[in-house]
């Protein structure tokens, strides 16, 4: 039970979310998107007029007053809640939040707070969790670990296909540059930077469609499943 996690890590817009959701559906597993937790906290900070690049002490203080967690619904899925209601995901997946979230995600206290909440999902059973540090920090003993990548150009195309996440009128070049900058911040931060776990299976999805990637992951999982 304590190893029954599927850790799906990788850079921004690599297609992890769609993949993780489809994989969880296929396996009858729970799906947790940890990026939405960081996005929700970033949304709160922006809503309070804070500057995520500078107001680190104020953002750390917020952790005492907000409750962001995944809740199991009656339908057996996981739903992200803040305080006493579900998070409106369309609100946290907007370009204003995307542009600032890496600043919030590099704060050490924020990461500790998030990781302890993410680990609380472990007793549920088979879990597909996607993020940047799942195989390295949240569940370093997970039985299944994947590191999913794609070229910056392919990722920019995928980002354009996601409504709301690209600022109105943004050029393709600008989106490629923004993705590269977020990669840099996620990879160079001091606390649990984005990097593959030593035992993660790397999958480059640049030239593959979602069904092909799903098949690759499912085969690896099948091969490693305990008797
Ligand atoms: O997957 P996403 O683009 O929604 O993630 C938003 C940001 O949150 C991303 O820039 C890095 C951060 N993040 C993180 O640091 N650790 C995670 N486990 C998930 C996301």
């Amino acid at each position: 039970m304590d190893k029954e996690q599927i850790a799906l890590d990788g850079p921004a817009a690599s297609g992890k979310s769609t993949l993780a959701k489809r994989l969880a559906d296929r396996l009858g597993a729970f799906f947790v998107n940890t990026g939405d937790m960081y996005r929700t906290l970033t949304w709160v900070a922006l809503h309070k007029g804070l500057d995520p690049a500078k107001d680190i002490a104020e953002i750390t203080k917020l952790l005492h007053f907000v409750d962001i967690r995944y809740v199991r619904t009656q339908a057996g899925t996981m739903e992200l809640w803040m305080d006493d209601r579900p998070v409106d995901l369309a609100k946290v997946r907007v370009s204003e939040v995307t542009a600032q979230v890496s600043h919030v995600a590099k704060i050490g206290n924020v990461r500790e707070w998030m990781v302890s909440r993410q680990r609380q999902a472990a007793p549920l059973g088979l879990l597909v969790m996607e993020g940047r540090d799942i195989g390295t920090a949240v569940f370093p003993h997970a039985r299944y670990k994947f590191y999913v990548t794609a070229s910056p150009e392919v990722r920019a195309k995928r980002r354009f296909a996601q409504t709301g996440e690209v600022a109105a009128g943004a050029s393709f070049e600008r989106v490629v540059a923004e993705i590269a900058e977020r990669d840099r911040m996620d990879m160079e931060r001091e606390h649990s930077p984005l990097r593959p776990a030593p035992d993660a299976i790397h999958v480059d999805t640049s030239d593959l469609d979602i069904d092909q990637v799903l098949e690759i992951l499912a085969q690896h999982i099948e091969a490693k499943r305990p008797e």
Side-chain angles (χ1 to χ4, degrees):
M1 177 87 125
D2 65 333
K3 287 184 171 181
E4 294 310 302
Q5 299 94 27
I6 299 169
L8 216 61
D9 290 306
S14 53
K16 296 186 308 287
S17 297
T18 319
L19 196 59
K21 213 162 190 273
R22 291 268 308 269
L23 188 63
D25 283 348
R26 177 168 168 158
L27 300 172
F30 291 98
F31 164 57
V32 173
N33 175 335
T34 59
D36 283 336
M37 297 176 76
Y38 289 92
R39 286 172 178 275
T40 302
L41 183 62
T42 305
W43 182 87
V44 175
L46 293 173
H47 202 66
K48 290 192 178 297
L50 299 175
D51 177 350
K54 295 199 193 107
D55 299 329
I56 293 168
E58 286 79 0
I59 291 174
T60 303
K61 257 189 232 149
L62 281 180
L63 301 175
H64 299 292
F65 303 105
V66 290
D67 186 17
I68 298 168
R69 67 202 182 285
Y70 268 93
V71 171
R72 188 180 169 170
T73 66
Q74 283 194 336
T77 56
M78 300 296 277
E79 191 170 50
L80 183 59
W81 280 54
M82 183 168 78
D83 301 331
D84 57 356
R85 66 190 62 177
V87 173
D88 177 356
L89 295 176
K91 217 165 57 180
V92 304
R93 293 183 187 159
V94 295
S95 59
E96 293 78 3
V97 170
T98 303
Q100 298 294 331
V101 61
S102 287
H103 292 294
V104 173
K106 73 179 192 189
I107 303 171
N109 289 332
V110 166
R111 300 208 68 83
E112 270 175 40
W113 190 88
M114 294 287 179
V115 167
S116 75
R117 280 154 189 264
Q118 290 153 10
R119 285 184 182 149
Q120 285 167 14
L124 283 173
L126 190 63
L127 196 65
V128 180
M129 190 174 279
E130 66 121 322
R132 304 291 190 285
D133 59 342
I134 313 306
T136 53
V138 182
F139 293 125
H141 303 296
R143 191 185 305 278
Y144 316 97
K145 295 184 188 178
F146 297 97
Y147 191 79
V148 179
T149 57
S151 71
E153 289 73 20
V154 167
R155 290 191 278 140
K157 269 191 210 149
R158 290 177 183 164
R159 184 109 298 174
F160 266 106
Q162 287 168 330
T163 41
E165 275 225 40
V166 173
S171 67
F172 185 74
E173 289 70 28
R174 184 173 142 194
V175 174
V176 172
E178 280 170 3
I179 287 177
E181 173 60 8
R182 203 140 69 91
D183 284 356
R184 188 191 65 73
M185 284 188 67
D186 291 344
M187 287 170 174
E188 291 181 3
R189 69 178 174 228
E190 182 187 350
H191 306 284
S192 47
L194 167 65
R195 67 167 62 120
D199 50 347
I201 291 164
H202 293 234
V203 184
D204 184 337
T205 69
S206 303
D207 301 318
L208 301 173
D209 66 28
I210 180 92
D211 289 317
Q212 291 170 313
V213 183
L214 200 60
E215 215 41 58
I216 294 172
L217 266 51
Q219 278 175 17
H220 278 292
I221 292 166
E222 196 48 46
K224 272 192 125 178
R225 269 199 136 153
E227 293 300 309

